Amino acid sequence: MSGVLVAVVGPSGAGKDTLMEAARAALARDDRVTFLQRTVTRPAEAGGEDHRPLSREAFLAERDAGGFALWWEAHGLLYGLPRAALEAALASGRVAVANLSRRVLPEAAARHPLRVLEITAPPAILAARLAARGRESAADVARRLSRRAPLPAGLPVKTVVNDGSVAAGAEQVVRALRGRPG
């Protein structure tokens, strides 16, 4: 039995982490779905997603030893998906959910059964959420919003528009992870 990797993608401010955390809670008793923890060269106390922090040097050593099924660099940080966790989930027939970069989707699709879950929101909502974070200037937010890359062609994609309540968005994510329409 082979599982599937569900790659969660979407722009900053779309609410990916919020909806994934709510979906994780809703699916806590469903052993068919597992959420994979990424390794990131960011301190644990930096906030955001629950990740496994590593120094850049330790990350590169683990990467060179084959410890990551997929890895990429974005915004000055290195991100990796642990090989052992992904392979165990797929071998047991589970849906393995992970937040990935659009740039690694072709590689992910070449190596693993893959579905894409795109979480997005209208531009005005994205801009407001990014501004509320207070991490970037208005010019930086505008630049970030203008550089959205399209998804690679030919991949199965389900899109969730996160423009309502967390509960409504999380319900859409849960339905998508369980392979149900709507």
Side-chain angles (χ1 to χ4, degrees):
M1 178 185 331
S2 180
V4 63
L5 172 59
V6 174
V8 179
V9 299
S12 294
K16 295 181 301 291
D17 291 336
T18 299
L19 293 189
M20 286 184 49
E21 192 56 41
R24 181 192 325 257
L27 294 166
R29 296 176 193 251
D30 188 339
D31 63 0
R32 297 169 297 174
V33 179
T34 188
F35 291 79
L36 301 177
Q37 183 184 49
R38 298 190 303 181
T39 300
V40 185
T41 58
R42 175 176 50 217
E45 60 275 1
E49 71 177 291
D50 177 26
H51 65 282
R52 179 175 161 246
L54 278 184
S55 69
R56 187 172 186 86
E57 296 74 25
F59 185 101
L60 293 172
E62 190 166 325
R63 179 201 66 187
D64 293 347
F68 299 117
L70 299 163
W71 73 274
W72 62 98
E73 186 166 4
H75 311 295
L77 300 171
L78 295 170
Y79 296 81
L81 200 58
R83 179 179 306 284
L86 176 59
E87 289 179 355
L90 295 178
S92 65
R94 298 173 87 184
V95 174
V97 184
N99 189 343
L100 297 183
S101 168
R102 291 170 187 256
R103 285 180 275 155
V104 298
L105 293 177
E107 181 182 355
R111 294 182 179 183
H112 310 286
L114 180 72
R115 292 191 336 235
V116 178
L117 176 59
E118 179 185 36
I119 298 175
T120 191
I125 291 175
L126 295 173
R129 288 176 182 163
L130 291 172
R133 289 180 182 175
R135 296 184 208 158
E136 299 171 301
S137 70
D140 291 337
V141 168
R143 233 182 340 272
R144 182 182 286 270
L145 292 175
S146 71
R147 68 172 185 235
R148 287 183 54 183
L151 289 168
L155 297 177
V157 178
K158 169 69 178 165
T159 300
V160 170
V161 178
N162 184 21
D163 60 355
S165 70
V166 171
E171 179 56 34
Q172 291 181 68
V173 170
V174 167
R175 281 196 307 267
L177 294 178
R178 287 184 169 154
R180 295 184 184 147

